[in-house]
């Protein structure tokens, strides 16, 4: 009997050294193989459509689109594609955002050599994979909801506004953003004005500080 073909994986991280290390972990397993790599979130979305992988592994902090933004886009356009977030952030906020974005699992880079293979296999079986700290976060959140009826705060800004916020914070001009997103310069300016109004901010500097604070870009 022939062995089943290995699961095809898309790996996205903006650090080549990290990608190389993660690929070494994955490619040593006979049932897993990396078929595409991306160094930013937008490229990850494009590679997912070009290569049709069985699993996407996305870093959270990446240029152009974050892993969370890419996950939301892939959940919309490729709902059949399971997604794992691979991140340095042991952070409740990012964990809940990852779940909301459609991720089936959340793995910390610090323990990737221990957890990543099991996470890939669980996700490919259709099972969620959560590291121990994430389970604790879910329990805390559940208890909080039971006690006070609280829920995760609704996102203040739209997906498109978040895209533009990230690009503004990365230093792109309105013209450059319009070209990257294939929209008009006037549309960019309107979204930017909406961002300032919604967030109660005054200028690009304050937008950049906000983007750092919520994890859209690294400080």
């Amino acid at each position: 009997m022939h062995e089943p073909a290995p699961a095809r994986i898309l790996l996205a991280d903006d650090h080549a050294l990290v990608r190389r290390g993660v690929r070494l972990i994955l490619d040593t397993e006979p049932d897993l193989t990396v078929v595409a790599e991306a160094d930013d979130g937008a490229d990850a979305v494009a590679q997912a459509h070009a290569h049709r992988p069985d699993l996407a592994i996305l870093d959270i902090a990446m240029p152009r689109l974050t892993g969370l933004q890419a996950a939301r886009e892939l959940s919309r356009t490729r709902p059949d594609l399971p997604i794992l977030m691979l991140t340095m952030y042991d952070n409740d906020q990012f964990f809940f955002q990852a779940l909301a974005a459609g991720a089936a699992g959340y793995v910390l880079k610090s323990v990737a050599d221990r957890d990543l293979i099991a996470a890939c296999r669980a996700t490919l079986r259709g099972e969620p994979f959560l590291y121990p700290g994430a389970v604790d976060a879910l329990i805390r959140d559940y208890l909080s909801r039971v006690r006070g009826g609280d829920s995760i705060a609704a996102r203040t800004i739209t997906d498109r506004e978040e895209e533009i916020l990230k690009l503004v914070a990365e230093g792109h001009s309105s013209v450059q953003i319009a070209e990257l997103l294939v929209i008009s310069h006037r549309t960019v300016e309107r979204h930017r004005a909406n961002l300032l109004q919604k967030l109660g901010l005054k200028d690009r500097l304050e937008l950049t500080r906000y983007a750092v604070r919520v994890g859209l870009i690294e400080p």
Side-chain angles (χ1 to χ4, degrees), residues 88-145:
M88 66 188 341
Y89 299 114
D90 184 359
N91 179 299
D92 290 4
Q93 174 191 345
F94 289 123
F95 166 63
F96 285 116
Q97 287 183 30
L99 294 185
Y106 194 93
V107 180
L108 297 179
K109 288 181 180 180
S110 58
V111 290
D113 57 334
R114 184 191 73 197
D115 288 351
L116 184 58
I117 299 301
C120 288
R121 289 173 178 155
T123 305
L124 287 161
R125 290 193 302 267
E127 302 167 6
F129 182 90
L130 307 176
Y131 71 101
V135 176
D136 293 342
L138 277 175
I139 293 170
R140 285 196 304 272
D141 180 68
Y142 173 77
L143 292 175
S144 173
R145 287 171 188 250

Side-chain angles (χ1 to χ4, degrees), residues 2-154:
H2 290 294
E3 290 291 323
R8 305 169 73 255
I9 297 173
L10 161 66
L11 174 60
D13 193 294
D14 59 322
H15 294 101
L17 193 60
V18 172
R19 291 200 310 275
R20 191 175 305 125
V22 172
R23 184 165 194 155
L24 282 173
I25 294 171
L26 296 172
D27 281 347
T28 56
E29 301 298 319
D31 56 332
L32 304 171
T33 184
V34 176
V35 296
E37 295 186 23
D39 59 6
D40 64 56
D43 190 30
V45 173
Q47 296 284 355
H49 289 290
H51 292 274
R52 309 296 295 181
D54 303 307
L55 171 67
I57 300 175
L58 308 177
D59 183 25
I60 284 184
M62 292 190 289
R64 293 178 65 197
L65 293 181
T66 67
L68 294 170
Q69 290 172 320
R72 283 199 290 271
E73 176 65 14
L74 289 172
S75 294
R76 185 180 66 81
T77 59
R78 277 217 52 196
D80 59 316
L81 176 64
I83 297 169
L84 268 180
M85 305 307 298
L86 179 64
T87 176
M88 66 188 341
Y89 299 114
D90 184 359
N91 179 299
D92 290 4
Q93 174 191 345
F94 289 123
F95 166 63
F96 285 116
Q97 287 183 30
L99 294 185
Y106 194 93
V107 180
L108 297 179
K109 288 181 180 180
S110 58
V111 290
D113 57 334
R114 184 191 73 197
D115 288 351
L116 184 58
I117 299 301
C120 288
R121 289 173 178 155
T123 305
L124 287 161
R125 290 193 302 267
E127 302 167 6
F129 182 90
L130 307 176
Y131 71 101
V135 176
D136 293 342
L138 277 175
I139 293 170
R140 285 196 304 272
D141 180 68
Y142 173 77
L143 292 175
S144 173
R145 287 171 188 250
V146 169
R147 290 173 188 141
D150 295 334
S151 61
I152 302 169

Side-chain angles (χ1 to χ4, degrees), residues 164 174-175 177-179 181-191:
I164 289 171
S174 293
V175 172
I177 294 171
E179 290 175 353
L181 300 181
V182 197
I183 57 178
S184 72
H185 174 268
R186 181 174 294 181
T187 300
V188 174
E189 289 296 319
R190 187 175 71 249
H191 282 306

